[in-house]
Amino acid sequence: MKSYSLETAVGLFVLAGLLCVGYLSVKLGKMELFGADGYVVKARFIDVTGLKEGASVELAGVRVGRVEAIGLSPDKRAILDLRLSKGVKLTDDAIVSIKTNGLIGDKYVKITPGGAGEPVPPGGMLTETESSVDLQDLIGKYVFGGVKEEKK
């Protein structure tokens, strides 16, 4: 009788440990199982080099969402699906930029709020965008003479 209660306690402990590992795997992997909160807006860019799905979206330095998907439009431009928190309201004159954390850090999306535009509905398109700066291209242009120095 005692061995059954000990085995049951060990089994429950192992089950609880497995549930904790599963929960942490989902949270650290930034996956969502039961639907995502917030809403999606789209942004059109000429170039999104280095940006990955799951990258953070920031407004005034505060994380307000993430990049849900990166695709290509029929006119050969990059389309980002940005999942934003419910409380974040944007106007159609907001500027969406791709920035870098540090010199060689990860890319993220920065939103600069607009002033007096119309509210963007869920699924709406943000057209005021600034593409990422590719550091390797800039260095290559400088090394091979593609960048002209300004003479004083």
Side-chain angles (χ1 to χ4, degrees):
M1 204 63 166
K2 261 194 171 217
S3 69
Y4 287 125
S5 63
L6 180 62
E7 290 174 0
T8 302
V10 169
L12 289 174
F13 183 73
V14 169
L15 181 63
L18 289 174
L19 289 173
C20 289
V21 168
Y23 175 78
L24 288 175
S25 297
V26 169
K27 282 300 180 187
L28 293 177
K30 297 178 183 166
M31 295 175 14
E32 293 164 355
L33 293 177
F34 304 111
D37 289 340
Y39 65 101
V40 174
V41 295
K42 297 181 180 297
R44 182 180 300 136
F45 288 87
I46 293 173
D47 185 14
V48 294
T49 301
L51 187 70
K52 297 177 182 167
E53 291 181 8
S56 66
V57 177
E58 295 183 3
L59 178 69
V62 177
R63 183 174 177 173
V64 295
R66 64 178 178 83
V67 176
E68 189 168 81
I70 300 174
L72 198 60
S73 70
D75 63 347
K76 306 295 187 269
R77 294 186 183 248
I79 300 287
L80 300 182
D81 289 351
L82 308 175
R83 179 160 298 278
L84 303 177
S85 301
K86 289 179 187 175
V88 177
K89 304 297 180 204
L90 297 176
T91 55
D92 60 359
D93 60 346
I95 300 171
V96 184
S97 310
I98 298 176
K99 301 290 184 182
T100 305
N101 280 331
L103 188 59
I104 55 172
D106 290 335
K107 303 270 184 169
Y108 69 97
V109 177
K110 176 184 176 186
I111 299 176
T112 305
E118 295 293 319
V120 177
M125 179 71 73
L126 296 168
T127 56
E128 299 290 328
T129 60
E130 295 176 348
S131 294
S132 64
V133 176
D134 190 5
L135 193 59
Q136 290 177 342
D137 284 346
L138 286 177
I139 291 171
K141 285 180 182 177
Y142 182 75
V143 168
F144 297 113
V147 176
K148 307 257 186 212
E149 290 185 29
E150 187 178 314
K151 294 184 180 181
K152 293 183 181 182

